[in-house]
Amino acid sequence: MKVVSVINHKGGVGKTTLTSNLGAGLAARGKKVLLIDLDSQASLTVSFFTQAEWQTDLVPDRTIKNWFEGLRGEGPDSMSSLIAKPERVSAYLTHTGGFLDLISAHRDLSEVDTALAAQLLLDPEHYLAAHRRLREGLQEKAFADYDVTLIDCAPNFGLIAKNAVAASDMLLIPTRPDYLSINGIDSLGRKVQAFAQEYNEQLGEAGDPGAPLGRPPAAVVFTMVQLHDNQPIESQRSYISRVSGLGVPTFQTTVRDSKAVYGPAPEYGVPVILAGTGRALTRELRDLVSEMVAHLDEVAS
Ligand SMILES: Nc1ncnc2c1ncn2[C@@H]1O[C@H](COP(=O)(O)OP(=O)(O)OP(=O)(O)O)[C@@H](O)[C@H]1O
Ligand SMILES: [Mg+2]
């Protein structure tokens, strides 16, 4: 099973939209897909479950918050007990051989993030346990049955996002082709590097036999690209080419800007890649899935 975090501490760049479409697209190709929603906004969760399903069936005791609470001895014994199956999208995946499951977010997740980070200041010896909680949860045998886990991160680089990095074989960085977003790629790279270094120092100091963290391979996906004559508009093209200079691989396929299509999709519980009507747009998403499959084949699990 390969673990991929969809991460960018910059908000509103299309992380959740990309996660849901890639997840559904991979499942439609026969992959066994798990999505994990690490954002207290729960946008990914409510892109697959109705608000009522989330509130009634998941919020009380079946969200990823329960797993992090286990650090204080109050959580479930296994992370796989938190897995839920969204029905509306599953109906589109029968006969594909693939499926899509999800571990949902909780609206108090950001409070848990802050509380755990504050607790660490008092008990620094729990640093490793707190940062590899998700990685350890995913070691459970039940998760080996999945081909890929996609983690939708919140727009910050707190303790929970660091957990995602520590659990990942690869990082996917959705980015808008504009000045501030491009700057964000560089700063995210530095944050990831600093975190891996800090984690490894802690391992050394504790004499812990756990594996050190490398910096996972990363790739940028351009989102909300404005097209003219099937080409990104001039101003965006220059930002896209500037990223090549940063040395981070980029997906050749870009996601076009289409508020009219992407805006309403989450309410229906089926991502655009499965339910969309725009032919060029769904073709582009399928191309993106093909590139993702190639990347997954390359990364070591
Ligand atoms: N390709 C696109 N074209 C137009 N609108 C888009 C596109 N992708 C996403 N959007 C819209 O932009 C908004 C933000 O997208 P999304 O929630 O996926 O971003 P995000 O990075 O996950 O945000 P956050 O940082 O808040 O988690 C949503 O309203 C979504 O419908
Ligand atoms: Mg999001």
Side-chain angles (χ1 to χ4, degrees):
M1 193 257 294
K2 312 253 168 97
V3 182
V4 179
S5 283
V6 182
I7 186 164
N8 192 332
H9 54 320
K10 188 160 172 24
V13 293
K15 293 181 286 295
T16 301
T17 306
L18 185 68
T19 310
S20 65
N21 280 286
L22 274 183
L26 287 165
R29 299 258 177 115
K31 304 280 187 203
K32 296 163 186 155
V33 178
L34 174 68
L35 303 181
I36 303 181
D37 188 354
L38 290 188
D39 187 354
S40 55
Q41 295 178 95
S43 305
L44 184 72
T45 305
V46 298
S47 298
F48 288 98
F49 292 98
T50 63
Q51 284 278 349
E53 286 167 339
W54 180 48
Q55 297 291 350
T56 313
D57 304 338
L58 304 175
V59 163
D61 57 5
R62 209 155 40 122
T63 74
I64 196 66
K65 170 172 158 280
N66 301 105
W67 182 245
F68 283 103
E69 282 174 342
L71 282 165
R72 299 188 289 219
E74 301 155 11
D77 293 337
S78 83
M79 199 167 99
S80 64
S81 64
L82 305 174
I83 296 172
K85 197 168 268 301
E87 275 173 23
R88 288 177 298 174
V89 72
S90 299
Y92 279 74
L93 297 171
T94 48
H95 312 303
T96 63
F99 60 81
L100 183 147
D101 291 344
L102 189 146
I103 298 183
S104 88
H106 191 285
R107 66 177 82 78
D108 294 341
L109 206 49
S110 60
E111 281 81 359
V112 172
D113 193 322
T114 318
L116 287 173
Q119 189 64 35
L120 268 190
L121 294 175
L122 301 173
D123 306 314
E125 71 273 19
H126 294 142
Y127 178 96
L128 292 169
H131 286 90
R132 63 186 174 201
R133 179 70 180 162
L134 192 63
R135 180 185 167 113
E136 285 187 346
L138 285 167
Q139 298 303 315
E140 190 188 330
K141 207 160 156 272
F143 293 105
D145 291 340
Y146 291 91
D147 296 306
V148 58
T149 294
L150 298 178
I151 304 178
D152 185 24
C153 295
N156 62 46
F157 199 65
L159 185 140
I160 289 181
K162 289 175 182 163
N163 262 272
V165 169
S168 289
D169 301 303
M170 180 185 175
L171 307 180
L172 210 54
I173 311 172
T175 305
R176 278 156 57 162
D178 61 35
Y179 175 68
L180 294 177
S181 305
I182 303 291
N183 276 334
I185 300 175
D186 213 21
S187 80
L188 179 67
R190 275 186 268 113
K191 281 174 196 287
V192 169
Q193 175 84 40
F195 165 58
Q197 198 174 335
E198 181 182 76
Y199 181 97
N200 293 338
E201 280 166 14
Q202 293 281 337
L203 269 182
E205 277 173 30
D208 188 287
L213 286 188
R215 187 171 154 183
V220 169
V221 177
F222 286 104
T223 60
M224 304 183 202
V225 174
Q226 291 170 270
L227 299 180
H228 181 71
D229 279 346
N230 268 327
Q231 288 282 330
I233 57 169
E234 176 61 31
S235 60
Q236 293 194 333
R237 240 186 357 245
S238 77
Y239 289 116
I240 290 173
S241 60
R242 257 195 241 179
V243 172
S244 327
L246 295 175
V248 189
T250 54
F251 272 59
Q252 219 181 338
T253 314
T254 59
V255 182
R256 72 187 59 201
D257 187 75
S258 181
K259 262 255 165 308
V261 173
Y262 286 107
E267 194 178 341
Y268 301 105
V270 183
V272 171
I273 194 168
L274 299 184
T277 46
R279 243 195 285 162
L281 193 142
T282 40
R283 192 179 332 117
E284 157 186 295
L285 289 172
R286 288 192 196 125
D287 288 347
L288 204 70
V289 174
S290 301
E291 278 197 62
M292 188 67 213
V293 170
H295 275 284
L296 288 171
D297 286 343
E298 270 171 33
V299 297
S301 56

